[in-house]
Amino acid sequence: MPHYRKPTVADKVFNSTVAALTRLGVSVWGSRVLRVKGRKSGLWRSTPVNVLTLGDHRYLVAPRGETEWVRNFRVARHGELVVGRRVEPFGAEELGDDDKIEVLRAYLRRWKFEVGRFFDGVSAKSPDDEFRRIAPEHPVFRIAASPEH
């Protein structure tokens, strides 16, 4: 069964607040509203996400695991990142587990206060073996520009 951590009531309130601010054009520590078409309904779905910049690349990490946005993105293969009125269409490539280690480490370095509890005690200072252990539970996508939908 795929790994998934269901949001608590507090998580839902926090996410709603971050999404509302981001829609107004206030990015909270790199937040964006991710919009992706539902794999069954075809309707646009949205959720707040943190976009990580590491070197020359940007990434989306799913700290809760196999979320609906992950499942929808795997089918749709493209989406939109929104801050205020700025809408950025994008595509992305899902990384293999061995390629996730430095991305997950950087993600935890930046957002541990927000998402650390979803990583089973692993911190940015943990050894690579610990990241290899949790990598299958946390989908990671490398963002690429997408001129069309």
Side-chain angles (χ1 to χ4, degrees), residues 47-103:
T47 191
V49 293
N50 294 319
V51 176
L52 173 70
T53 300
L54 184 60
D56 293 336
H57 299 286
R58 294 183 309 149
Y59 298 90
L60 290 175
V61 174
R64 294 179 187 282
E66 300 279 331
T67 61
E68 289 297 322
W69 77 257
V70 168
R71 293 178 187 141
N72 289 337
F73 189 83
R74 285 175 174 158
V75 172
R77 311 290 298 165
H78 66 271
E80 297 176 341
L81 294 170
V82 180
V83 176
R85 293 182 181 185
R86 186 172 152 240
V87 177
E88 175 189 357
F90 77 98
E93 167 191 5
E94 189 165 1
L95 300 184
D97 292 340
D98 289 339
D99 297 324
K100 295 177 185 178
I101 294 170
E102 289 309 312
V103 175

Side-chain angles (χ1 to χ4, degrees), residues 1-74:
M1 186 166 188
H3 175 79
Y4 174 66
R5 297 264 177 102
K6 187 175 180 178
T8 64
V9 171
D11 293 331
K12 290 178 184 181
V13 170
F14 179 80
N15 287 343
S16 294
T17 303
V18 170
L21 288 169
T22 305
R23 283 187 189 99
L24 290 172
V26 179
S27 176
V28 181
W29 282 63
S31 67
R32 301 288 185 273
V33 172
L34 168 67
R35 292 178 19 104
V36 63
K37 285 191 179 181
R39 64 192 180 283
K40 295 176 186 174
S41 69
L43 300 174
W44 285 99
R45 305 294 184 192
S46 63
T47 191
V49 293
N50 294 319
V51 176
L52 173 70
T53 300
L54 184 60
D56 293 336
H57 299 286
R58 294 183 309 149
Y59 298 90
L60 290 175
V61 174
R64 294 179 187 282
E66 300 279 331
T67 61
E68 289 297 322
W69 77 257
V70 168
R71 293 178 187 141
N72 289 337
F73 189 83
R74 285 175 174 158

